[in-house]
Amino acid sequence: MLSYSSYMLTAVTVLLVTCHALCKCPGVPGLLDIPGLSGRDGLKRQPHLLGLPGSLYIELCNVLVELKHRISRLEGVLTLDGKIIEVGEKILTSNGKEVDFASALESCEEAGGTLATPTNEEENKAILGIVKRYNRFAYLGIKEGEISGQFTYMNGMPLNYTKWHTHEPNGKGTEKCVEMYTDGSWNDKKCNQNRLTICEF
Ligand code: MMA
Ligand code: CA
């Protein structure tokens, strides 16, 4: 029969092997920090985390850690392949197609995203990277509202970042969409042109 100390050594060793996962679980800063680990029933005696028994919490947490790892590997593959660009929390991609504004927006939304919408210089540069790769102007997720000259995001909120080309916007209500030039600057433009589709997710 195993002594209590060798039982604990085995338990701790087994748990340390999975510590790469356990240590990332919120509320479980470190395996050895779990109060009660030294108790006879080990993790099963943990106070409930997220309202779950400790053992189930850890199992769920391990699944989440594995999923995150798998997703980040997929992101690495897609980035290496040049299929996506990640900027902050956004993922940008293009199908390489040049279509009018409504069709571009529709294909982004069908895929669960929306048209790429730069909200800061970093995002503008990331979108520009795709514009340059295809060497094609692209429609952005920006529209002119009812009031001429008032451009908004697709949800109607006012822009908090702009990169207008000099003398733009100049359409005075006749150019309700916005395209990105191959230098990253913006032009208000009619919505019926064929422009590169770039989506964000
Ligand atoms: C085109 C059209 C406009 C743009 C001007 C810039 C002639 O119109 O693309 O949207 O402002 O060019 O010269
Ligand atoms: Ca214009």
Side-chain angles (χ1 to χ4, degrees), residues 10-197:
T10 309
V12 168
T13 305
V14 166
L15 288 164
L16 276 176
V17 169
T18 52
C19 191
H20 70 282
L22 289 171
C23 294
K24 291 173 188 165
C25 295
V28 185
L31 183 62
L32 299 174
D33 300 327
I34 301 174
L37 178 66
S38 53
R40 206 171 284 277
D41 297 327
L43 291 169
K44 288 193 177 125
R45 280 186 29 167
Q46 284 312 295
H48 293 195
L49 298 157
L50 300 176
L52 298 170
S55 55
L56 184 54
Y57 169 85
I58 286 167
E59 196 179 320
L60 280 174
C61 190
N62 278 324
V63 169
L64 289 176
V65 168
E66 288 301 323
L67 279 173
K68 281 186 182 177
H69 184 227
R70 199 158 186 97
I71 289 167
S72 85
R73 285 157 63 203
L74 285 172
E75 286 173 334
V77 169
L78 292 173
T79 301
L80 181 67
D81 232 19
K83 297 277 199 308
I84 63 165
I85 294 174
E86 294 188 279
V87 54
E89 297 299 301
K90 289 184 182 178
I91 297 173
L92 301 172
T93 192
S94 174
N95 58 10
K97 292 184 179 162
E98 292 171 90
V99 294
D100 64 32
F101 177 85
S103 305
L105 178 61
E106 191 178 48
S107 57
C108 289
E109 287 183 345
E110 256 176 35
T114 190
L115 270 174
T117 308
T119 65
N120 56 51
E121 190 69 21
E122 192 192 9
E123 291 180 0
N124 205 72
K125 283 193 173 127
I127 296 166
L128 174 60
I130 300 177
V131 163
K132 278 184 164 162
R133 174 140 47 86
Y134 287 93
N135 195 27
R136 291 287 180 272
F137 298 171
Y139 277 128
L140 300 176
I142 295 172
K143 284 218 78 174
E144 192 171 26
E146 293 308 313
I147 305 159
S148 160
Q150 266 195 10
F151 287 83
T152 70
Y153 297 116
M154 299 310 297
N155 64 9
M157 294 293 284
L159 304 183
N160 57 24
Y161 164 85
T162 60
K163 190 81 175 181
W164 295 114
H165 194 269
T166 41
H167 308 308
E168 306 295 347
N170 63 355
K172 301 185 174 67
T174 69
E175 299 182 311
K176 292 193 158 297
C177 288
V178 177
E179 64 184 355
M180 178 183 281
Y181 287 150
T182 45
D183 68 353
S185 67
W186 305 355
N187 173 38
D188 59 340
K189 188 76 179 178
K190 290 189 183 302
C191 302
N192 61 356
Q193 304 297 294
N194 287 335
R195 291 291 178 265
L196 181 65
T197 305

